[in-house]
Amino acid sequence: MLKTALAGLRAHKLRLLLTSLAITLGVGFIAGTFVLNDTMQAGFAQRVTADAAKVDVAVLPKGPDAVLPERVLERIRALDGVTEAQGLIRAAAPVLGRDGKTAGNAPTTALSVVRGPLDRTDIVSGTGPGTDDQAAVLDKNTAKAQGFHLGDTITVLDDRQRPHRFKLVGLLDPGVDQELSYTGAVGFTAATAQRMTGAKGYREIDVAGTAPGLKQAVAAAVGGAYAVRTGDELAGDLARAAGVEIRSLTTGLLLFGVVAMMVAALVIYNTFNILVAQRTREMALLRCIGATRGQVFGSILLESVVVGALASALGLVIGYGLASLTLTVLRALDAPMPTNAAVTLTPATIALGLAVGVVVTVGAALLPARSATGVAPIAALRSQLEEQTFRSGRLRGLFAALFLVAGLATTSVGVFVLPPGQQVALFVVMAGGALTFLGVLILGPVLVRPLSALAGWLPGRLFGVPGRLAVDNSGRNPRRAATTTIALTIGVTLMTLISVVTASTRLTMTAKLDDQFPIDYLLATQEGDAAVPRSVASQLRGRPELASVAQIRDAKSTVGGKRLKVGTFTGPISPYVIAGSMNGFGAGQAAVDDDLGMRLGESISVKTPKAGTVSLKVVALLDGSQSSLPPVTVAEAAFDTYFGAVPDSRVLINIRDGVPPEQARKVVDAAVAAYPTVRVTSSTEVRGQFDETLDMLLMIVTGLLGLAILISLLGIANTLSLSVHERTRESALLRALGLTRAQLRRMLSIEALVLGLIGALVGVVLGGVFGWAAIRAMLDGAVFTVPAGQIGLFVVLSGVAGMLAAVLPARRAARASIVGSLATG
């Protein structure tokens, strides 16, 4: 039997090609993800270790905003065995772009660039500032974005927002530091960095020394108020912090890999069903000459092991190539990631890839192998195989009903019972979706015939006899057709769900922005602090080009023992009041966010710099998830009494009807020209950036799910191959009765079209329903919308792709000899 199984594999290589391709793609995706992860993690560790190797001991403050005072550095330098100790300054110092406004979405981080053996700054072009207090270095990403080159003069604001000019002498690489990659970095000498930032201490002290027990000596000198790490420990902490992002990316990619493997398992299951059907007489003849059921079962499993192992090995090669291609793209895009590490296949990735491929293949082959043992030896005497008839039993209906009811009930809890916006609600909806999908999977064979009649109604009338035959054939074997279409259904369901969630999120956020702040321009600083002079709003309010100007200002205070922002607003702003009322809002009253846990009528104490501790009565609760007002809002006059003439935090501006946006923008830009930290943001620009992000997400997810679609199309091609084999004599008889080769090819193509449409229709319904449920669970007050154009495109592409999958099977059937096919027995 071993020789027979291996001989069968050698004799029928092509019939296993689609199975091998499906498992190769699935394993390739998973292996590529792990290779990418291993490479990036190695790059992170290599880069961090190389930097931290210069440090023998590092002293760090405990707490995100804490610093190390100068006296700690002096104690360390006084220790025996310490050859070098440097304090590192790290604080905000905004860099101005060529437009005179602060660059980036967050204030640039200023660094002190030390000299000597503890210099860990990676200068990739030019030199460091050395001892020149008029020189600076900039991170390469900010320099590229703002168009700065070596030798240029850059302007940096100090802690009092005063501008200072420096000569750009070098470009640095922020490396694996995620904070610097986001904010950008500007480097100075230690003295200049302290002067520019007003820092009262150091964010880190690096120590070099040769004495044994240096860590213990430093720890004893600085006391228990600070954290002391060796260079290796520091490298480990930085590598772990830097690796969080890549681990999240890996998890997301693996989810798509799991989907691909699920679809591949369905295709493999169908393929081995094909093999069993094609070899019914072969199995029966083996039984007639003495093969036992166990030997027949073992031969099928042996084939699955061989196919799974070979395809998985090829998948590892494909995965290696995918990872290499991804890193090449990242290098070309100058991504802030360590992309120079060598791409390697680790033993763990190899073992995992082979194990996943073989286990999935063997698992999918178990049921077909079991059915092969049921072939009676007498079947070898039949001239034509009997086609199995499908009967929908009560047990199938019972299980389908149980899963559907459980899934819909679970989904209803996530949508209607649990509060929206919480992660648990989304998880409950996902669980309900999984249960419902299992119910549809069980019910699939029952749905095939009515759905094939629906999907084939138009083709059956447009294409005459071949069309009607194709519609009948698509529902001939419901169990096999359901298994085939469910693979496509998975991909279309997820693509439809993502499209619905993306479109609904875009519409919901736009509607909320328009409802609460129907504004054209927003004036604010990078950090959103109180730094917009009130004179700006006063100047703009008198301009005829503008319809309205609203102001929001706030200040930090202690409210009921909690550190919160207390603020006020002026102008056309309508807060989201969910309880109480702000009518007659005045002194001694407050409106608070509902998530603070305060009740209507409750009195809260607020510490203020001008009026001391005041008692305020809560007269309104605001929706904290939708409100852009401070957590505690008071009347405008009362705010000035409590906190003084605090500058605005944000100014919201609307253009008067009929005024060209370009003209209004000039007016607004002129009003803030003297304030480099005040940035003008157009609501259209914000929405455009939001739309770009969602579109990019949709494009990436669609591309990843395209792998599942591709694998499912291989399943359709497999099903048609089985159809061609089973209907060899039938096709020949149709040809003998006058059906042309072109009509036969058309019949099989339309059958594939119907199968593709069945999977797409079920996927669209499931994706639409659970897209609605997901958006309801994700966002409070969600506005549901269906991107009909995108979903229609999914359906059309599914049908077209199904027809493409039928090209080779249809060509094979049309080229078969009529006489030879009629003689097939």
Side-chain angles (χ1 to χ4, degrees), residues 294-340:
Q295 287 175 318
V296 173
F297 183 83
S299 69
I300 302 295
L301 288 188
L302 176 62
E303 289 186 10
S304 69
V305 171
V306 173
V307 172
L310 292 177
S312 299
L314 182 58
L316 290 173
V317 176
I318 297 295
Y320 182 90
L322 287 173
S324 300
L325 178 62
T326 302
L327 289 173
T328 301
V329 173
L330 290 175
R331 293 188 188 107
L333 296 176
D334 288 332
M337 292 182 174
T339 55
N340 294 323

Side-chain angles (χ1 to χ4, degrees), residues 78-269:
L79 292 174
D80 293 334
V82 172
T83 58
E84 183 81 14
Q86 294 284 356
L88 305 182
I89 293 173
R90 184 166 175 157
V95 173
L96 301 188
R98 290 195 177 276
D99 60 355
K101 295 296 182 181
T102 51
N105 295 319
T108 313
T109 300
L111 307 173
S112 58
V113 180
V114 301
R115 295 184 299 157
L118 290 176
D119 180 10
R120 291 163 54 196
T121 307
D122 184 12
I123 303 295
V124 295
S125 182
T127 64
T131 58
D132 187 355
D133 287 339
Q134 301 303 315
V137 296
L138 198 62
D139 74 282
K140 60 179 184 179
N141 299 322
T142 300
K144 180 179 179 181
Q146 298 298 325
F148 291 131
H149 303 90
L150 294 180
D152 288 351
T153 298
I154 62 173
T155 302
V156 187
L157 302 181
D158 63 15
D159 60 317
R160 297 183 181 180
Q161 307 304 311
R162 296 173 301 189
H164 300 262
R165 290 173 175 80
F166 298 89
K167 181 180 180 181
L168 184 60
V169 297
L171 301 180
L172 64 87
D173 183 358
V176 299
D177 193 311
Q178 301 301 295
E179 180 186 354
L180 297 186
S181 296
Y182 174 68
T183 65
V186 57
F188 307 104
T189 64
T192 303
Q194 198 282 330
R195 186 179 74 250
M196 290 294 295
T197 63
K200 304 301 181 183
Y202 304 109
R203 288 286 299 274
E204 180 180 331
I205 295 177
D206 291 344
V207 184
T210 57
L214 184 60
K215 176 183 177 182
Q216 290 76 14
V218 171
V222 302
Y226 309 105
V228 180
R229 301 280 188 272
T230 64
D232 291 338
E233 291 170 345
L234 176 65
D237 292 343
L238 293 175
R240 281 188 292 272
V244 169
E245 183 175 343
I246 190 62
R247 283 194 293 271
S248 301
L249 175 64
T250 302
T251 302
L253 289 175
L254 283 177
L255 290 177
F256 291 101
V258 170
V259 171
M261 291 305 300
M262 288 173 55
V263 176
L266 292 170
V267 172
I268 295 164
Y269 168 76

Side-chain angles (χ1 to χ4, degrees), residues 394-727:
R394 293 181 178 177
L395 192 60
R396 177 183 295 272
L398 177 62
F399 275 105
L402 287 176
F403 277 106
L404 288 174
V405 170
L408 294 176
T410 304
T411 303
S412 298
V413 170
V415 173
F416 299 111
V417 177
L418 297 175
Q422 295 187 2
Q423 202 172 40
V424 64
L426 185 58
F427 286 153
V428 170
V429 168
M430 291 170 59
L435 291 172
T436 304
F437 193 86
L438 288 175
V440 173
L441 181 64
I442 296 171
L443 205 60
V446 180
L447 299 174
V448 164
R449 283 176 179 160
L451 287 176
S452 65
L454 174 64
W457 180 83
L458 185 60
R461 281 156 178 76
L462 289 178
F463 298 102
V465 173
R468 291 194 294 273
L469 288 173
V471 174
D472 291 339
N473 289 335
S474 63
R476 174 178 289 186
N477 192 328
R479 182 181 288 110
R480 186 181 65 232
T483 306
T484 302
T485 57
I486 205 68
L488 183 61
T489 298
I490 292 175
V492 176
T493 296
L494 293 175
M495 292 177 71
T496 302
L497 188 148
I498 296 298
S499 297
V500 168
V501 168
T502 302
S504 298
T505 301
R506 180 183 289 114
L507 186 61
T508 301
M509 300 309 293
T510 300
K512 288 184 177 181
L513 183 62
D514 289 342
D515 186 29
Q516 186 176 7
F517 296 122
I519 61 170
D520 295 307
Y521 298 109
L522 169 67
L523 307 184
T525 64
Q526 288 175 322
E527 295 181 307
D529 52 358
V532 184
R534 293 191 183 190
S535 58
V536 171
S538 300
Q539 176 184 346
L540 291 173
R541 192 168 279 117
R543 297 292 306 198
E545 297 88 352
L546 305 179
S548 64
V549 177
Q551 300 161 262
I552 297 177
R553 61 184 70 102
D554 54 51
K556 289 185 178 180
S557 180
T558 301
V559 182
K562 299 178 181 178
R563 194 69 177 167
L564 298 173
K565 280 189 174 182
V566 179
T568 189
F569 65 93
T570 303
I573 296 178
S574 301
Y576 280 95
V577 179
I578 60 175
S581 173
M582 295 184 69
N583 292 331
F585 197 52
Q589 297 178 332
V592 302
D593 286 355
D594 61 329
D595 53 8
L596 294 180
M598 301 176 185
R599 299 185 301 273
L600 282 177
E602 179 181 351
S603 293
I604 56 175
S605 61
V606 179
K607 291 184 178 180
T608 70
K610 300 294 183 180
T613 301
V614 297
S615 179
L616 304 179
K617 181 181 179 181
V618 177
V619 297
L621 298 181
L622 308 182
D623 187 344
S625 63
Q626 300 187 53
S627 176
S628 293
L629 294 176
V632 179
T633 301
V634 299
E636 181 182 8
F639 181 87
D640 290 345
T641 301
Y642 302 152
F643 298 96
V646 176
D648 295 329
S649 302
R650 281 161 289 169
V651 177
L652 318 174
I653 304 167
N654 261 332
I655 303 174
R656 190 176 299 280
D657 292 340
V659 175
E662 308 82 34
Q663 181 180 347
R665 178 63 184 256
K666 291 179 180 179
V667 171
V668 176
D669 285 340
V672 296
Y675 309 103
T677 61
V678 180
R679 297 160 58 92
V680 180
T681 306
S682 166
S683 61
T684 304
E685 293 173 0
V686 173
R687 292 168 193 167
Q689 294 172 359
F690 184 68
D691 287 344
E692 287 178 6
T693 302
L694 289 178
D695 290 339
M696 183 182 300
L697 175 64
L698 179 62
M699 182 176 63
I700 293 172
V701 171
T702 301
L704 295 173
L705 290 177
L707 179 65
I709 300 292
L710 176 61
I711 296 174
S712 65
L713 294 178
L714 298 178
I716 292 179
N718 267 350
T719 299
L720 291 173
S721 297
L722 175 58
S723 176
V724 168
H725 172 76
E726 287 183 343
R727 301 201 302 261

